[in-house]
Amino acid sequence: MKQHPDDKRIGNHVAYVAQEWIRQSYANEGAAAAEKTLRTLLQRYPQSDDVTQVAKSHLHKVVEELQGKRQYEEALAAAERAVDLLQDKDLALDLARSVYDGWAKELVMKADWQAAIDVYAKGRGRFPKDKHLENNWMVTWDNWAQSFIKANDWAGALEVYEKALTKVSDKSLAETNIVYCVQEWAQAVYAKDGTVAAKDVLTKQLRRFAA
């Protein structure tokens, strides 16, 4: 490749050999052997974009397979190796995002909302400036509250938003929805039990969220 750096046929051939070598190492000897092979190839062909792309594809495959097995901690560790192997922090972040999102999605499907939020909190601890993880963390808080709103469980929704206020930096969405929930709760109580009961709800909730 050094003698013919622009020969695409040589690059494609090296990439194919690299891909097959890594694939066989992974299939026959496991992740550690495949990573050793990968490291050898990257050291041997440090300027090859084709070999680098093969390495990236392999890391994607490993992370996806571990996610499929619900081995999320292991998937995160595999994502992190993109920094060690390729010095590619952006790839490591992209892979980690996919793991955190998949992990949280599984928990949400089980209605384990707090655990899903904890997953994103873990991700934000590792990548504190990442807007993707922060946004999905905040969306998960809101979706949790919305699950109560859909059931007209205003007390349940307010409890979630009250927790969110102590965690999120942008409190505007939670504050807006708290006002909405209190209004809807008071209207529901008014329709059922009259003015005095509705006023009692309003008074208690105003005191609760006054600070």
Side-chain angles (χ1 to χ4, degrees):
M1 288 184 70
K2 290 181 180 180
Q3 287 82 3
H4 306 282
D6 297 323
D7 191 332
K8 293 296 183 183
R9 292 172 301 174
I10 295 175
N12 291 339
H13 178 69
V14 169
Y16 174 76
V17 171
Q19 179 178 297
E20 289 303 300
W21 190 5
I22 293 168
R23 184 184 66 78
Q24 290 179 18
S25 295
Y26 187 64
N28 297 331
E29 301 176 70
E35 187 170 314
K36 184 178 179 180
T37 300
L38 187 56
R39 196 180 299 277
T40 298
L41 287 163
L42 289 167
Q43 290 172 350
R44 185 176 298 178
Y45 303 104
Q47 305 302 320
S48 172
D49 291 338
D50 295 301
V51 172
T52 298
Q53 189 56 51
V54 168
K56 290 181 178 180
S57 296
H58 174 71
L59 286 173
H60 274 285
K61 177 184 177 181
V62 171
V63 169
E64 288 173 4
E65 286 190 1
L66 289 169
Q67 283 196 79
K69 297 175 183 177
R70 294 179 173 80
Q71 296 176 0
Y72 296 109
E73 294 288 0
E74 292 83 352
L76 288 171
E80 189 69 24
R81 287 199 284 278
V83 177
D84 176 41
L85 290 167
L86 297 166
Q87 292 75 54
D88 193 334
K89 292 183 179 180
D90 290 337
L91 176 60
L93 174 57
D94 285 342
L95 290 172
R97 283 171 176 164
S98 72
V99 177
Y100 289 121
D101 286 343
W103 194 354
K105 182 179 179 180
E106 181 190 356
L107 292 165
V108 166
M109 290 177 66
K110 297 176 181 177
D112 195 347
W113 293 96
Q114 185 61 62
I117 284 169
D118 291 343
V119 164
Y120 279 123
K122 177 183 177 70
R124 293 185 71 246
R126 176 65 185 85
F127 303 102
K129 296 181 180 180
D130 186 61
K131 295 299 183 183
H132 173 94
L133 293 174
E134 180 180 12
N135 178 72
N136 286 2
W137 181 59
M138 294 177 68
V139 167
T140 304
W141 276 110
D142 190 52
N143 287 344
W144 185 8
Q146 292 295 328
S147 71
F148 287 104
I149 290 174
K150 289 176 182 177
N152 294 324
D153 183 350
W154 309 110
L158 286 169
E159 184 177 347
V160 173
Y161 284 128
E162 187 173 31
K163 289 180 181 178
L165 285 176
T166 67
K167 303 293 184 181
V168 301
S169 54
D170 183 356
K171 305 180 188 301
S172 57
L173 178 62
E175 290 173 342
T176 297
N177 286 337
I178 284 170
V179 172
Y180 169 77
C181 288
V182 170
Q183 290 175 341
E184 292 297 310
W185 192 2
Q187 287 180 9
V189 171
Y190 174 76
K192 182 181 179 181
D193 299 317
T195 302
V196 174
K199 184 177 179 180
D200 184 57
V201 168
L202 285 171
T203 301
K204 287 180 179 178
Q205 299 312 310
L206 286 171
R207 282 202 204 106
R208 178 183 180 183
F209 294 106

